Amino acid sequence: MFIAYIVVSSLLALACLASGTTKVTRQPALVEQLGGLGVAAKYVPVLGVLLVLGAIGLIVGNWVGALGVAAAGALALYFIGAIITHLRAGDAKGSVPTVALTVVSVAALVLRVLSL
C-alpha cells in the first residue's frame, strides 16, 4: 500500500503544485475564471498557497505518516469546496476535473491510512 501511496500522492502533489503556482502568481485568465465562479480576486493567492502546502504535506507524508493523512484529508476537503463552488455558480461541466482530484485525494488518504 505504501508504494501505491507514493505514486498517487506524488501525482496529486504535482497537480496541486501546478495549480497552486498559477493561483499564487495570479494568472489573469485564472483570476477571471474564478471571478466568474464568485471567488474574489484577493482569495486566489490564498487558495494557491493552500494547494502548495497540501502538496508539500503529501510529499513529507512519505516520512511522517500523520502529516500525509492530514494533507490528503485537507486536499479532499479543499476539492469538495471547489466542487460546491462550481455547482453554486451553475458550472457543472467545470466541476468534472475537480471531482477527479477529489477522488484522487480520497485515494491518497485511504492509501496512507492503510500504510501506517
Side-chain angles (χ1 to χ4, degrees), residues 2-89:
F2 184 67
I3 293 173
Y5 168 75
I6 290 175
V7 171
V8 170
S9 66
S10 295
L11 293 174
L12 180 59
L14 286 173
C16 289
L17 281 173
S19 180
T21 301
T22 60
K23 287 177 175 71
V24 168
T25 59
R26 292 183 178 193
Q27 297 296 317
L30 183 63
V31 172
E32 182 180 335
Q33 177 189 5
L34 291 174
L37 297 174
V39 177
K42 67 181 180 180
Y43 294 120
V44 174
V46 174
L47 295 173
V49 168
L50 292 174
L51 284 172
V52 170
L53 290 174
I56 292 168
L58 288 173
I59 299 305
V60 175
N62 290 336
W63 296 276
V64 183
L67 184 58
V69 170
L75 285 171
L77 291 173
Y78 175 94
F79 290 123
I80 289 169
I83 292 168
I84 292 168
T85 300
H86 277 278
L87 294 178
R88 281 187 179 167

Side-chain angles (χ1 to χ4, degrees), residues 98-110:
T98 310
V99 170
L101 288 168
T102 305
V103 170
V104 174
S105 297
V106 171
L109 174 60
V110 170

